C-alpha cells in the first residue's frame, strides 16, 4: 500500500480526498474539527473504520486548537465536537464507537490540566488509528485460507486500505491470500451511485497488481451462473447482535444471488463493527443521501429533469445468507447471536 488514507499531523488531519480518485491523488488538510466533519459527510473520507479514525482525530484536533483556559468551557466544547462528529453519518457504528471512546476519555480526564487532556486525546486517537491497522492485518490472516487457487472472488464497494487506517477488511483478506501465494481473480462491483468499486477498489487492486475485473452492478448473477464467481467477501458498516449486516447498497442482492447459486458469502469486519445493542438489522439506521448522487454522474445530469430518485446508501443482509464473519479474533460462524457476543468480549 503506497498511500496514506489518514494522517495525523499534530496541528491538522491529512486525508486522501477519495472523491477525486482515481483521476487525481490529492490530499485535504483539515485544520479544525468542522472541516473533518465536512470531509466525513461529503465522503472525502469514507468506509466504516476510516470515518471512526477520522472522527477521533477530529476530536483530538478540537482539543489542540481550542484557545480557552477555562476547563468548563474546554470540556463543553469537546462534548459539542463529539456530537458534531456523531451527526455526520448514521449507519457505520465504528464512527460512534470511536467517538464514544474519545468521550469516555474526556470523562476520565476531566480533572486533569487542559494540556494533559490535549496530550491524552492525541494519544488515544493515534491508538485508535494503530489498532485499526493491526486489526486489519489480523482479519487478513484469519480469512486468507478461505481463498483457493483458481477462485473467482467478488467484492462490493470498497473495503480496502482507503476504507480503513490501512490494508482493509474484505480487501485485506484478498491481499493476504495473494501475498500468501494463492492465485485467483477478483471481480469488483462498480457500486453505483458513487462508484467506490470502480474508482477505489480497482485503484487499490491495480497498485497491488492483483488481477481484477470491474463489473457493473447487474452482472454478478450471470457470472455466478457461469461459475466465474465462487466466493463473495464484503465489508460491513454495522452488524447487529443476530449477525444481520448493513453494508453498501447492493450487498443484500448479492447475498441472495450467492445463496441461489450456492456461492459462500462472507463478511469481513473488525469486532468494533458489531453492535450488540441492536437485536437485529431492522434497527440499523440507514443513511439516505441526496438524490443528485443518482441523477448525476461526475456533476453531469444523466436522467431527465423532473424524475425522482431514491438513494439509500446501505442495505441489510439477513444473517441467514451469511456463511461467516471474518474478524480480528477469528471467523465467527452460526449461530451468530451466541458466537458474536463471545467473540466481542474475547481478548484478541
Ligand atoms: O458509503 P461508504 O463508501 O462509506 O460505504 C462503505 C462501505 O459500505 C464499506 O463496505 C464498509 O464501510 C466496510 S469498509 C472496511
Amino acid at each position: 500500500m503506497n498511500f496514506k488514507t489518514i494522517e495525523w499531523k499534530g496541528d491538522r488531519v491529512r486525508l486522501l480526498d477519495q472523491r477525486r480518485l482515481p483521476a487525481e491523488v490529492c490530499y485535504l488538510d483539515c485544520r479544525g474539527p468542522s472541516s473533518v466533519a465536512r470531509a466525513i459527510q461529503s465522503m472525502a473520507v469514507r468506509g466504516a473504520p476510516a470515518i471512526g479514525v477520522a472522527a477521533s482525530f477530529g476530536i483530538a484536533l478540537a482539543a489542540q486548537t481550542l484557545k480557552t483556559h477555562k476547563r468548563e468551557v474546554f470540556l463543553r466544547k469537546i462534548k459539542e465536537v463529539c456530537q458534531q462528529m456523531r451527526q455526520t453519518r448514521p449507519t457505520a457504528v465504528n464512527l460512534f464507537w470511536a467517538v464514544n471512546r474519545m468521550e469516555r476519555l474526556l470523562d476520565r480526564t476531566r480533572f486533569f490540566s487542559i494540556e494533559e487532556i490535549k496530550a491524552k486525546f492525541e494519544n488515544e486517537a493515534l491508538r485508535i488509528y494503530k489498532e485499526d491497522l493491526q486489526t486489519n492485518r489480523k482479519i487478513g490472516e484469519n480469512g486468507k485460507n478461505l481463498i483457493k487457487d483458481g477462485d473467482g472472488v467478488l467484492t462490493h464497494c470498497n473495503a480496502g486500505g482507503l476504507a480503513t487506517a490501512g490494508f482493509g477488511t474484505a480487501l485485506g483478506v484478498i491481499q493476504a491470500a495473494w501475498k500468501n501465494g494463492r492465485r485467483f481473480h477478483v471481480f469488483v462491483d462498480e457500486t453505483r451511485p458513487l462508484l467506490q468499486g470502480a474508482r477505489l477498489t480497482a485503484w487499490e487492486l491495480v497498485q497491488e497488481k492483483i488481477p481484477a475485473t470491474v463489473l457493473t452492478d447487474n452482472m454478478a448473477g450471470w457470472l455466478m451462473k457461469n461459475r466465474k464467481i465462487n466466493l463473495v467477501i464484503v465489508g460491513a458498516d454495522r452488524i447487529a447482535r443476530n449477525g444481520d449486516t448493513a453494508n453498501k447498497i447492493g450487498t443484500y442482492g448479492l447475498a441472495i444471488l450467492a445463496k441461489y447459486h450456492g456461492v459462500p458469502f462472507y463478511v469481513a469486519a473488525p469486532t468494533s463493527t458489531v453492535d450488540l445493542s441492536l437485536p437485529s438489522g431492522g434497527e440499523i439506521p440507514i443513511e439516505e443521501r441526496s438524490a443528485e448522487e443518482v441523477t448525476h454522474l461526475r456533476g453531469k445530469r444523466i436522467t431527465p429533469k423532473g424524475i425522482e430518485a431514491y438513494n439509500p446508501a446501505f442495505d441489510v443482509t439477513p444473517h441467514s445468507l451469511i456463511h461467516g464473519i471474518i474478524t480480528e479474533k477469528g471467523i465467527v460462524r452460526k449461530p451468530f447471536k451466541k458466537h458474536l457476543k463471545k467473540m466481542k468480549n474475547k481478548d484478541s
Side-chain angles (χ1 to χ4, degrees), residues 43 46-49 89 157-159 163 169 196 236-237 247-248 314:
M43 294 175 65
R46 31 83 29 218
R89 297 194 72 190
C157 193
N158 172 267
T169 55
Q196 289 94 328
D237 289 83
N247 191 50
K248 179 54 56 193
F314 302 95

Side-chain angles (χ1 to χ4, degrees), residues 44-165:
V45 60
R46 31 83 29 218
I51 62 176
V53 172
S56 59
F57 279 145
I59 297 165
L61 195 58
Q64 299 297 326
T65 51
L66 270 173
K67 294 281 177 273
T68 182
H69 296 293
K70 292 191 180 132
R71 183 198 304 275
E72 282 312 306
V73 177
F74 183 85
L75 296 176
R76 181 166 44 80
K77 292 267 181 209
I78 297 289
K79 289 245 176 207
E80 281 170 16
V81 170
C82 290
Q83 209 37 36
Q84 182 184 21
M85 294 299 164
R86 286 189 185 99
Q87 279 157 3
T88 52
R89 297 194 72 190
T91 303
V93 78
N94 312 61
L95 176 82
F96 301 90
W97 172 87
V99 172
N100 291 347
R101 191 165 147 175
M102 297 297 278
E103 205 172 54
R104 280 200 301 276
L105 177 71
L106 187 67
D107 293 338
R108 287 202 303 278
T109 55
R110 57 188 309 112
F111 299 115
F112 289 29
S113 73
I114 288 180
E115 285 314 308
E116 278 170 328
I117 301 178
K118 285 183 181 180
K120 293 263 180 214
F121 265 60
E122 183 174 18
N123 286 340
E124 188 71 353
L126 283 167
R127 206 172 292 139
I128 290 172
Y129 174 86
K130 287 178 195 152
E131 280 173 17
D132 188 53
L133 276 175
Q134 286 165 0
T135 295
N136 296 332
R137 296 262 171 208
K138 287 185 191 157
I139 291 173
E141 283 306 302
N142 292 338
K144 68 182 184 197
N145 290 331
L146 294 170
I147 302 179
K148 309 280 181 245
D149 281 328
D151 273 355
V153 184
L154 175 70
T155 190
H156 189 68
C157 193
N158 172 267
L162 289 167
T164 60

Side-chain angles (χ1 to χ4, degrees), residues 267-331:
V267 170
T271 49
S272 55
T273 305
V274 178
D275 183 353
L276 291 178
S277 76
L278 300 185
S280 74
E283 289 80 46
I284 299 177
I286 299 294
E287 177 180 8
E288 287 257 358
R289 294 187 64 86
S290 139
E292 206 177 300
E293 290 180 354
V294 176
T295 56
H296 289 64
L297 200 56
R298 290 286 193 224
K300 277 209 164 139
R301 176 175 275 283
I302 55 167
T303 57
K305 277 190 185 154
I307 194 77
E308 287 182 15
Y310 187 40
N311 191 13
F314 302 95
D315 58 27
V316 176
T317 299
H319 62 276
S320 57
L321 300 178
I322 300 170
H323 271 67
I325 301 172
I326 312 160
T327 76
E328 75 279 17
K329 299 179 187 178
I331 302 180

Side-chain angles (χ1 to χ4, degrees), residues 147-326:
I147 302 179
K148 309 280 181 245
D149 281 328
D151 273 355
V153 184
L154 175 70
T155 190
H156 189 68
C157 193
N158 172 267
L162 289 167
T164 60
F167 199 63
T169 55
L171 222 48
V173 172
I174 287 169
Q175 273 204 64
W178 187 262
K179 292 211 165 97
N180 200 34
R182 291 280 151 79
R183 290 298 171 256
F184 52 90
H185 198 88
V186 183
F187 292 95
V188 181
D189 266 348
E190 64 174 354
T191 319
R192 278 280 287 148
L194 296 181
L195 302 171
Q196 289 94 328
R199 295 188 302 108
L200 310 177
T201 302
W203 186 71
E204 290 195 43
L205 287 166
V206 166
Q207 287 184 69
E208 293 300 325
K209 298 191 170 51
I210 300 177
T213 301
V214 171
L215 308 177
T216 62
D217 290 333
N218 44 6
M219 292 179 181
W222 185 240
L223 270 83
M224 285 181 194
K225 167 144 181 67
N226 289 303
R227 308 228 167 274
K228 295 221 183 297
I229 293 167
N230 59 310
L231 180 65
V232 180
I233 311 180
V234 296
D237 289 83
R238 194 184 298 225
I239 302 171
R241 198 157 72 214
N242 67 350
D244 291 353
T245 295
N247 191 50
K248 179 54 56 193
I249 189 79
T251 305
Y252 173 42
L254 278 185
I256 293 173
L257 287 173
K259 174 93 174 170
Y260 182 80
H261 292 97
V263 171
F265 182 96
Y266 282 88
V267 170
T271 49
S272 55
T273 305
V274 178
D275 183 353
L276 291 178
S277 76
L278 300 185
S280 74
E283 289 80 46
I284 299 177
I286 299 294
E287 177 180 8
E288 287 257 358
R289 294 187 64 86
S290 139
E292 206 177 300
E293 290 180 354
V294 176
T295 56
H296 289 64
L297 200 56
R298 290 286 193 224
K300 277 209 164 139
R301 176 175 275 283
I302 55 167
T303 57
K305 277 190 185 154
I307 194 77
E308 287 182 15
Y310 187 40
N311 191 13
F314 302 95
D315 58 27
V316 176
T317 299
H319 62 276
S320 57
L321 300 178
I322 300 170
H323 271 67
I325 301 172
I326 312 160

Side-chain angles (χ1 to χ4, degrees), residues 239-243 271 274 276 323-325 327 329-346:
I239 302 171
R241 198 157 72 214
N242 67 350
T271 49
V274 178
L276 291 178
H323 271 67
I325 301 172
T327 76
K329 299 179 187 178
I331 302 180
V332 185
R333 306 264 179 196
K334 288 170 185 157
F336 291 124
K337 206 168 169 176
K338 181 172 161 205
H339 293 148
L340 276 175
K341 193 171 170 200
K342 228 159 94 191
M343 196 62 100
K344 179 114 173 146
N345 298 326
K346 186 174 133 185

